[in-house]
Amino acid sequence: MDGICTLGNDRVYDQIVALLNSIEVFAGPEMPVCIYPYDDQVEQLRELVRSRPHLTLYDDSASIQRWDAWVEQIWATHPTARQQWDAIGSTGIHRMGTHRRFCAFDGPFDRFLYMDADTLLLSDPAPVFNALDEYDWVTYDFQHKDLSHVYDVDSPWLEQLFSPQQLQRQAFCSGFYASRRGLFDPDRGQDILDWLKSGEAAVLYPMAPDQTILNYLVIRRGVNSCNLALALPPEERTGNSVTSSHFTTQENRVYDKGVPLLYLHYIGLSSKLFTRLCDGENVDLPYREVFLHYRYLHNSENRPALTGKLVTAKPQGWRRYLKPLTQLLP
């Protein structure tokens, strides 16, 4: 069975509702969706699941615990992660909940498309699932243009482990990818831990913890992967990030030079901005009308009027993210 999954808690409730509604429109109302819990704050999400017959909240505690334990073992091999996290006041493993997306390798779907809560599906995902007929890992992004959020680019291990061609063709953003159940299994991951303990852990980038681990696993294990941003014909490729200001919108879809986006990623935007927006604050967000359309697709009467003065959210707002992210443009 194919399905789509995401990760979140009640803090990203508005974004998850928007994502679910976009999936309903472009993948069909019967497409099964599974939410992996970032933490235990999921009461609103539990209520949401009750109202949607094809939506589930992952509750396999044994699966969650075994992935949590493996992640702890992985980060215990890193030479400087703890110091880096301490420097920013992050206790425990930094953004531990983001690793819960790994539960998809145990999850209910034989093949799955993972989408971050801050994304919207804007076209039929069939090309992604079709690519899984040939590949075990499918992505669609331009993260290879900025490896600094994938690996520690100053580590000498980077050149030892991966060729420039591998990094160019296979590095990816962990906000959107497709794979299959059982591809990775912590109970059979001792070889990975041994590699990391030998010194390879130094290549991991602790500030994007789930992303760096997934990239390491895919390339180090030689997974057969495909990045549609490189594989599709040039005339069919699009960007996907809201940092792209040249996109156009029409009838609640987003286009890149006339080609509809497969998905839109609100990368770098705090979930608090979406909460404020949905509370009626006139917050300045890129492509916010598209977001609001899908957020209130089934209850347009509750859509906030946003009649007040336009609010530019600084310094927590999205503008501070634009400069470093513009290099991810296609």
Side-chain angles (χ1 to χ4, degrees), residues 6-10 16 33-50 52 54-61 64 108:
T6 189
L7 170 80
N9 57 17
D10 290 347
I16 284 183
V33 180
C34 180
I35 302 173
Y36 294 96
Y38 184 94
D39 55 26
D40 294 333
Q41 300 178 39
V42 291
E43 289 309 308
Q44 284 183 285
L45 294 183
R46 290 189 191 281
E47 189 65 28
L48 184 63
V49 166
R50 297 187 187 101
R52 301 201 179 210
H54 299 287
L55 176 64
T56 57
L57 181 66
Y58 196 67
D59 60 358
D60 186 335
S61 58
I64 293 172

Side-chain angles (χ1 to χ4, degrees), residues 146-156 158-159 202-205:
D146 178 18
L147 295 176
S148 67
H149 288 75
V150 179
Y151 299 111
D152 182 346
V153 295
D154 295 323
S155 172
L158 191 63
E159 292 184 358
V203 80
L204 299 180
Y205 176 63

Side-chain angles (χ1 to χ4, degrees), residues 8-24:
N9 57 17
D10 290 347
R11 289 193 297 274
V12 295
Y13 177 84
D14 292 306
Q15 291 166 281
I16 284 183
V17 171
L19 171 59
L20 292 174
N21 289 340
S22 72
I23 291 172
E24 178 182 320

Side-chain angles (χ1 to χ4, degrees), residues 267-315:
I267 190 169
L269 304 182
S270 168
S271 62
K272 295 178 182 178
L273 298 177
F274 293 89
T275 300
R276 289 166 57 188
L277 178 66
C278 294
D279 284 343
E281 192 172 350
N282 197 3
V283 178
D284 182 16
L285 294 178
Y287 306 103
R288 73 172 186 180
E289 291 302 312
V290 176
F291 169 80
L292 287 169
H293 169 78
Y294 293 103
R295 168 60 182 89
Y296 296 99
L297 185 70
H298 295 306
N299 56 342
S300 58
E301 69 279 4
N302 293 333
R303 177 171 169 162
L306 304 179
T307 55
K309 181 180 178 181
L310 189 68
V311 176
T312 300
K314 289 184 177 182

